């Protein structure tokens, strides 16, 4: 038997985050919520005498699958939100009716089952699981090996880019830069000032003018830079100021 | 409390997952819906397994996890390939496939 | 805790093992052979040799296990002649498919992109093409898919069925995305196919879980002997969801959404393989499930089969008529064929067990042949090189005058699809409809026959277009047949099979009759 408190806890941490699949706008939020669902399910497995499966659930789903989802989300662009506007009128209601109907049907059918719960269940300890895996299910295990092979091969086919161009040494890269008329030395770093030390401020050349190329292009596009003019003080005035201070002493 | 309640919970999760696949236009979201459906099936298997008292259902759920992991690899590879080709992964974007 | 070493009869598994191991060896070849041109040749030879070996192994097992079948592994796999017949079909389709994979035109281009991991049309892709790269991984992927399908047609356990389903689906999702031309479309098709496929397999799995809950087992043969009145509803619901998953793979209405997109987007050789083999594998599994379990629910499930069959036949036919693209037309025609196949299941006639393999053989061979022809009809680029496949219907005008052999073969396949006498398709339809009529499902057969008459319209329209319409002189781009050695060979072989099965079907039908038995179930005392 399962403690009712535990059941309601599991129900709470699975259903509510799962609803974010339907209502949240940002895929990253959804992925994070689904991680919570997976953890909740792992708790349920442990409560249902399947400790090994609970551990596998954590390792495979929260540890690998959902992290993979998050990686891919980051790769294809995190800040994309999705409009929830429906494209085919009425589709939303048809889909919701189908899904809710299916769920209700399953619940109503299951609820009519004669309830008999085995009082002395076999606990899914690793050794017990192993004796089944390599018993009658051994052929399934072997076939799963082929499933994994085809998944790995498929992923490689679609994502692995072999070296298409000859590898260039550092000397060659440098020669190409010179040939292209680029500056042979390092570009100036962004500004480092006594009053402002950050990537968004350009460096100043010896004459005190800002060097545009020292600020990241991305920051410029986003309009997150400052032009550095506020740091370009009147050198003479500043010197006089400092000199005056010295005179005071 | 009887383990059968977990079957009800699984039915709810399965319905949410199915609705997600049918409603969401973002491929990754729809795919997460599929994952939720598979997990709901797993919970059903484990809960029934507990009621029966054996662990056959647990073994099956274990297989499903392996298969689901393989499926995720392939699915995400396809999504990455598509998104490399175009920087959008909406199922309704101006589509080259018209029915 | 007890561990019993499982007793496995390995011999009947030899065909499947041979194919799957060849897939794994192919993966190793990918890793260790650097020379692309050589690798491609070796992969092709390995695949074809293994598949032929598998054919021999199947024949050997056919003789060896006799009519009764063998228990390979308790409750997991029972091999009988029914399973071997389906395996034979699948291997034949795989041979045709793999040969088409390797087909190259005069410019040395096959149907696959040189490098699938770079963006379509990017400079990187051009570099990859110039370097002569090729996605030779297509061969091991096809072998793994074939092995998965052979398992799918043979296993007895619903969960094992799910694993086999994924084993053959995953490589297919990838293969669909590898088209050389219009790869954006190809990738989109792959994504759609994948999402809908994953969705349907999740439904299948939930169904299997409910069956487990109702019956405490997922073995079909174990379900056969089980009867607990108060659990029947749950069992029925679970089985219904399992059937939905299978109908998706068969491509029947309303689970056909992936069919037109996947058929059109995929490279034609992949479409040929997928169309012929996926349907056969899914029908095999549905037949096994039907005759072991579902027939007990004939009263509850018959209306599902009737509705889906009628809907598929009508929607498939009507939508095929309005298509302007040859591949899409064949896709909708395959939806209609899914309907014809389901007609055979009406009433669960025992005749269907032998009719269905025969029907799928005729359908699959004609499909392979038709797509082999499609790969050869090309748009010409301005400099006279072969460009994309010319799939718009109008582009096929006048082909019959310029290339009578090829157009004749295509017409033969189209007539076979339409079920005109003296072609294999006619015999196939005849045996399937006979099975349905025998069970009194004649209204269904009447609908199916009427629909095939309507379907004949769009098949014949293409034939007329090829023979009796002149190609517009100013067509741009120009359309030309670029015969390729392998493509033509496959088309001719398929043509011969279609004719032989149409004119002299007796031998094949006799074999199909012998395949029409499932391993007789063990005696089970009602639970």
């Amino acid at each position: 038997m399962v403690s009712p408190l535990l059941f309601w806890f599991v129900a709470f941490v699975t259903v509510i985050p799962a609803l974010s699949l339907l209502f949240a706008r940002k895929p990253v939020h959804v992925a994070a919520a689904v991680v919570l669902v997976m953890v909740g399910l792992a708790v349920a497995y442990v409560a249902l005498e399947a400790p090994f499966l609970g551990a596998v659930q954590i390792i495979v789903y929260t540890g690998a699958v959902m992290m993979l989802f998050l990686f891919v989300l980051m790769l294809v662009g995190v800040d994309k939100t999705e409009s929830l506007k429906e494209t085919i009128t009425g589709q939303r209601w048809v889909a919701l009716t189908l899904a809710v109907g299916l769920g209700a049907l399953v619940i109503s059918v299951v609820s009519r089952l004669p309830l008999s719960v085995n009082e002395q269940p076999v606990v899914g300890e690793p050794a017990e699981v192993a004796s089944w895996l390599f018993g009658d299910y051994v052929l399934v295990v072997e076939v799963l090996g082929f499933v994994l092979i085809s998944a790995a091969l498929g992923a490689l086919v679609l994502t692995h880019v072999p070296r298409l161009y000859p590898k260039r040494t550092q000397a060659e890269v440098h020669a190409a830069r010179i040939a292209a008329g680029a500056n042979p030395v390092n570009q100036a770093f962004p500004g480092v000032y006594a009053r402002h030390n950050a990537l968004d401020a350009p460096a100043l050349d010896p004459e005190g003018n800002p060097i545009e190329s020292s600020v990241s292009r991305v920051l410029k596009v986003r309009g997150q830079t400052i032009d550095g003019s506020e740091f370009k003080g009147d050198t003479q005035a500043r010197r006089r100021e400092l000199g005056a201070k010295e005179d005071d002493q | 409390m009887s383990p059968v309640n977990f079957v009800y919970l699984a039915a709810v999760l399965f319905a949410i997952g199915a609705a997600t696949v049918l409603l969401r236009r973002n491929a990754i979201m729809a795919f997460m819906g599929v994952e939720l459906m598979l997990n709901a099936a797993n919970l059903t298997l484990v809960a029934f397994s507990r009621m029966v008292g054996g662990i056959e259902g647990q073994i099956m759920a274990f297989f499903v996890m392996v298969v689901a992991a393989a499926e995720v690899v392939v699915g995400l590879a396809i999504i990455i390939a598509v998104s490399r080709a175009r920087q959008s992964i909406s199922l309704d974007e101006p589509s080259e496939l018209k029915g | 805790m007890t561990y019993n070493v499982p007793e496995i009869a390995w011999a009947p598994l030899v065909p499947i093992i041979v194919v799957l191991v060849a897939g794994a060896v192919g993966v190793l070849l990918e890793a260790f052979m650097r020379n692309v041109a050589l690798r491609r040749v070796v992969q092709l030879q390995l695949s074809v040799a293994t598949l032929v070996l598998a054919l021999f192994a199947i024949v050997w097992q056919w003789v060896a296990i006799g009519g009764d079948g063998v228990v390979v592994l308790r409750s997991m796999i029972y091999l009988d002649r029914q399973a071997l017949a389906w395996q034979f079909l699948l291997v034949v389709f795989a041979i045709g498919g793999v040969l088409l994979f390797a087909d190259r035109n005069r410019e040395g281009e096959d149907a696959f992109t040189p490098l699938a991991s770079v963006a379509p049309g990017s400079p990187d892709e051009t570099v990859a093409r110039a370097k002569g790269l090729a996605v030779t991984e297509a061969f091991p992927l096809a072998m793994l898919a074939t092995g998965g399908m052979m398992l799918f047609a043979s296993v007895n356990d619903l969960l094992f069925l799910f694993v086999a389903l994924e084993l053959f689906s995953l490589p297919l999702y990838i293969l669909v995305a590898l088209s050389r031309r219009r790869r954006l479309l190809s990738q989109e098709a792959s994504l759609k196919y994948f999402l809908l496929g994953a969705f349907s397999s999740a439904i299948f799995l939930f169904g299997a879980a409910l069956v487990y809950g109702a019956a405490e087992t997922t073995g079909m043969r174990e379900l056969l002997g089980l009867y607990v009145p108060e659990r029947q509803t749950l069992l029925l619901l679970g089985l219904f969801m399992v059937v939905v998953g299978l109908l998706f793979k068969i491509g029947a209405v309303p689970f056909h959404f992936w069919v037109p997109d996947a058929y059109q987007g995929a490279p034609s050789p992949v479409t040929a393989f997928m169309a012929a083999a996926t349907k056969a594998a899914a029908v095999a599994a549905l037949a096994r499930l039907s005759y072991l379990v579902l027939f007990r629910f004939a009263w509850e499930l018959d209306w599902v089969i009737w509705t889906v069959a009628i809907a598929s036949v009508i929607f498939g036919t009507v939508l095929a008529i309005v298509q302007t693209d040859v591949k899409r037309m064949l896709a909708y025609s395959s939806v209609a064929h899914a309907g014809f196949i389901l007609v055979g299941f009406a009433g669960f006639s025992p005749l269907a067990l032998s009719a269905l393999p025969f029907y799928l053989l005729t359908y699959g061979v004609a499909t392979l042949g038709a797509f082999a022809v499609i790969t050869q009809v090309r748009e010409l680029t301005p400099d006279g090189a072969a460009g994309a496949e010319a799939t718009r219907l109008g582009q096929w005008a006048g082909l019959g005058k310029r290339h009578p052999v090829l157009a004749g073969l295509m017409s033969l396949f189209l007539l076979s699809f339409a079920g005109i006498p003296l072609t294999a398709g006619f015999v196939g339809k005849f045996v399937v409809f006979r099975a349905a009529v025998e069970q009194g499902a004649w209204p269904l057969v009447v609908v199916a026959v009427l629909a095939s008459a309507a379907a004949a319209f769009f098949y014949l329209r293409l034939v007329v277009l090829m023979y009796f319409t002149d190609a517009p002189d100013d067509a741009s781009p120009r359309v030309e047949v670029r015969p390729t050695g392998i493509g033509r060979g496959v088309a001719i072989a398929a043509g011969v099979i279609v004719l032989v099965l149409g004119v002299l079907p007796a031998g094949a039908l006799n074999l199909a009759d012998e395949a029409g038995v499932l391993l007789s179930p063990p005696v089970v005392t009602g639970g």
Side-chain angles (χ1 to χ4, degrees):
Chain A
M1 294 295 111
V2 183
S3 134
L5 198 64
L6 186 64
F7 172 77
W8 287 112
F9 169 73
V10 169
F12 192 75
V13 297
T14 50
V15 173
I16 292 178
L19 283 174
S20 74
L21 276 166
L22 290 172
F23 300 112
R25 281 178 171 276
K26 292 206 171 195
V28 174
H29 295 172
V30 178
V34 175
V35 170
L36 200 57
V37 177
M38 302 302 176
V39 175
L41 288 177
V43 174
Y45 293 162
V46 175
L48 290 168
E49 311 290 346
F52 175 69
L53 213 57
V56 175
Q57 170 82 6
I58 295 275
I59 295 165
V60 173
Y61 270 106
T62 55
V65 170
M66 291 320 296
M67 291 308 116
L68 207 56
F69 266 105
L70 276 173
F71 264 81
V72 171
L73 280 172
M74 300 293 171
L75 209 61
V76 301
V78 251
D79 43 355
K80 237 178 244 139
T81 51
E82 177 201 12
S83 82
L84 294 172
K85 202 163 64 70
E86 59 184 338
T87 39
I88 306 169
T89 347
Q91 187 198 14
R92 181 177 297 170
W93 297 114
V94 174
L96 273 182
T97 317
L98 272 178
V100 172
L102 184 63
L105 184 64
V106 172
I107 290 176
S108 79
V109 170
V110 173
S111 67
R112 285 190 211 142
L113 279 184
L115 290 179
S116 60
V117 179
N118 193 322
E119 295 300 330
Q120 281 155 342
V122 183
V123 180
E125 302 281 354
E128 187 71 44
V129 171
S131 74
W132 276 82
L133 282 185
F134 298 101
D136 278 357
Y137 284 96
V138 68
L139 282 183
V140 186
V141 175
E142 283 168 20
V143 171
L144 277 176
F146 287 102
V147 173
L148 291 176
I149 291 178
S150 54
L153 182 62
L156 275 179
V157 168
L158 283 186
T159 53
H160 171 70
V161 187
R163 181 172 295 287
L164 289 173
Y165 307 97
K167 191 173 180 180
R168 297 200 299 174
T169 61
Q170 197 175 1
E172 283 166 344
V173 173
H174 199 71
R177 277 182 61 186
I178 301 291
N183 194 339
V185 294
N186 282 344
Q187 297 284 334
F189 293 116
V192 178
Y193 306 104
R195 280 177 289 165
H196 189 91
N197 179 9
L199 292 175
D200 58 350
L204 300 183
D205 66 9
E207 284 154 25
N209 299 315
I211 305 170
E212 286 297 322
S213 65
S214 66
V215 186
S216 159
R217 194 164 41 83
V218 177
L219 292 179
K220 252 186 257 174
V221 171
R222 289 192 184 167
Q224 290 174 336
T225 55
I226 55 177
D227 63 3
S229 59
E230 59 262 52
F231 305 118
K232 182 192 167 195
D234 181 342
T235 341
Q236 292 303 321
R238 181 74 180 141
R239 186 168 298 156
R240 246 180 283 126
E241 198 182 307
L242 289 171
K245 278 183 187 161
E246 279 162 18
D247 288 348
D248 281 350
Q249 286 175 346
Chain B
M1 199 174 212
S2 163
V4 79
N5 289 300
F6 283 101
V7 180
Y8 301 145
L9 176 61
V12 172
L13 292 176
F14 188 80
I16 295 176
T20 306
V21 182
L22 296 173
L23 288 175
R24 284 295 186 144
R25 309 318 304 171
N26 179 308
I28 296 187
M29 295 259 216
F31 193 17
M32 282 197 266
V34 172
E35 286 306 309
L36 190 63
M37 290 167 79
L38 291 177
N39 272 285
N42 272 354
L43 183 58
T44 315
L45 282 168
V46 176
F48 277 134
S49 177
R50 170 66 185 81
M51 290 169 74
V52 173
I55 65 165
E56 231 177 323
Q58 296 179 22
I59 306 291
M60 295 182 198
F62 177 74
F63 290 144
V64 174
M65 284 182 190
V66 180
V67 169
E71 200 177 72
V72 166
V73 168
V74 170
L76 291 180
I78 294 174
I79 289 173
I80 286 183
V82 172
S83 74
R84 264 187 196 163
R86 63 160 82 208
Q87 289 301 322
S88 143
I89 43 163
S90 162
L91 295 179
D92 279 348
E93 285 290 299
S95 155
E96 289 204 20
L97 291 166
K98 295 209 177 69
Chain C
M1 176 182 16
T2 52
Y3 172 64
N4 301 319
V5 179
E7 284 173 28
I8 305 174
W10 289 103
L13 290 181
V14 167
I16 298 173
I17 294 173
V18 163
V19 172
L20 284 178
V21 168
V25 172
V27 177
L28 289 178
L29 286 181
E30 287 301 321
F32 292 110
M33 282 186 73
R34 312 301 276 178
N35 184 335
V36 181
L38 183 64
R39 191 170 70 208
R40 183 180 155 277
V41 175
V42 173
Q43 290 280 23
L44 172 66
Q45 289 171 345
L46 172 73
S47 307
V48 174
T50 329
L51 288 170
V52 172
L53 191 68
L55 275 190
F56 283 116
I58 291 170
V59 174
W60 162 52
Q61 281 305 316
W62 175 280
V63 178
I65 67 176
D68 289 339
V70 178
V71 179
V72 174
L73 176 57
R74 193 172 59 82
S75 84
M76 285 292 156
I77 304 186
Y78 297 75
L79 258 137
D80 41 35
R81 285 195 170 171
Q82 172 79 9
L84 287 175
W86 288 110
Q87 290 185 6
F88 190 86
L89 288 196
L90 291 166
V91 174
V92 169
F93 298 155
I95 292 178
V98 162
L99 284 174
L100 287 179
F101 278 17
D103 193 17
R104 285 189 155 180
N105 64 12
R106 233 182 293 164
E107 285 80 15
E109 292 179 344
D110 55 16
F112 295 100
T113 172
L115 186 58
S117 50
V118 294
S122 62
D124 289 348
E125 197 183 20
T126 318
V127 173
R129 185 171 305 138
K131 292 185 79 166
L133 295 186
V135 185
T136 49
E137 288 93 343
F139 294 101
L141 284 174
M143 298 301 282
L144 290 168
T146 311
M149 288 175 185
M150 290 164 75
L151 267 173
F152 197 61
S154 318
V155 296
N156 175 52
D157 184 274
L158 287 180
L159 186 95
F160 205 169
L161 209 58
F162 172 75
V163 173
L165 175 79
E166 291 292 330
L167 176 55
F168 83 74
S169 299
L170 295 181
L172 283 180
Y173 299 144
I174 303 289
L175 285 172
V176 168
L178 300 181
S179 179
R180 173 176 286 265
R181 294 168 205 284
R182 287 190 265 187
R183 189 145 61 87
L184 215 53
L185 185 105
S186 171
Q187 288 178 340
E188 226 174 78
S190 167
L191 182 59
K192 212 167 205 172
Y193 185 24
F194 170 77
L195 279 176
L196 289 173
F199 182 56
S200 78
S201 57
I203 293 179
F204 179 100
L205 181 72
F206 199 74
L210 293 183
V211 169
Y212 174 71
E216 302 185 6
T217 176
T218 48
M220 294 184 210
R221 217 168 300 265
E222 285 68 24
L223 286 173
L224 181 65
L226 198 101
Y227 183 74
V228 186
E230 60 269 31
R231 287 171 178 264
Q232 290 300 84
T233 332
L234 184 61
L235 184 58
L236 184 64
L237 181 63
L239 288 172
F240 179 75
M241 291 173 81
V242 168
V243 169
V244 166
L246 291 177
L247 288 179
F248 174 89
K249 286 289 165 196
I250 295 177
V253 175
F255 315 106
H256 66 288
F257 297 107
W258 61 278
V259 176
D261 293 341
Y263 276 37
Q264 188 188 12
S268 292
V270 174
T271 314
F273 172 60
M274 185 172 77
T278 311
K279 196 160 274 189
V283 172
L286 186 60
R288 188 163 286 274
L289 186 65
S290 295
Y291 288 90
L292 286 180
V293 186
L294 297 183
F295 75 94
R296 281 170 49 202
F297 298 95
W299 191 83
E300 290 94 338
L301 285 176
D302 232 17
W303 68 271
V304 178
I305 291 175
W306 279 56
T307 319
V308 174
I310 292 178
S312 307
V313 165
I314 292 177
F315 275 107
T317 308
V318 170
L319 286 173
I321 288 175
V322 298
Q323 294 306 316
T324 54
D325 183 286
V326 180
K327 282 171 90 173
R328 278 188 99 79
M329 187 191 89
L330 288 183
Y332 280 108
S333 117
S334 101
V335 173
H337 277 277
F340 295 135
I341 291 166
L342 288 175
V343 168
F345 284 100
F348 301 113
S349 155
L351 287 179
L353 270 183
S354 55
L356 289 169
F358 188 84
Y359 187 96
L360 265 297
L361 176 65
T362 65
Y363 171 75
V365 170
T367 304
L368 274 176
F371 280 100
V373 173
I374 287 176
T375 56
Q376 299 176 49
V377 182
R378 297 294 188 132
E379 288 173 354
L380 292 190
T381 53
D383 54 355
E389 287 161 0
T391 54
R392 271 186 296 119
L393 274 182
Q395 293 179 311
W396 286 55
L399 274 187
K401 289 178 184 155
R402 282 174 287 155
H403 297 277
V405 177
L406 204 72
L409 284 169
M410 188 68 183
S411 309
L412 180 64
F413 301 135
L414 292 172
L415 293 178
S416 178
F417 284 139
I420 307 288
L422 291 184
T423 60
F426 171 74
V427 187
K429 278 208 175 72
F430 177 77
V431 288
V432 165
F433 291 173
R434 190 182 57 182
V437 169
E438 191 223 30
Q439 291 297 310
W442 58 267
L444 192 54
V445 173
V446 169
V447 174
V449 169
L450 287 179
S452 358
F457 164 75
F458 61 78
Y459 296 123
L460 289 179
R461 184 176 58 180
L462 186 54
V463 175
V464 169
L465 198 63
M466 285 192 294
Y467 280 102
F468 303 106
T469 313
D470 285 322
D473 295 328
D474 53 347
S476 157
R478 236 151 42 76
V479 174
E480 196 48 78
V481 170
R482 280 306 173 87
T484 53
I486 301 179
R488 194 162 47 181
V490 171
I492 290 175
V496 171
I497 296 177
V498 166
L499 267 185
V500 169
L501 288 180
V503 181
L504 301 166
L509 282 177
N510 282 340
L511 284 176
D513 277 343
E514 283 185 39
V517 278
L518 292 169
L519 171 53
S520 50
V523 182
V524 183
T525 47

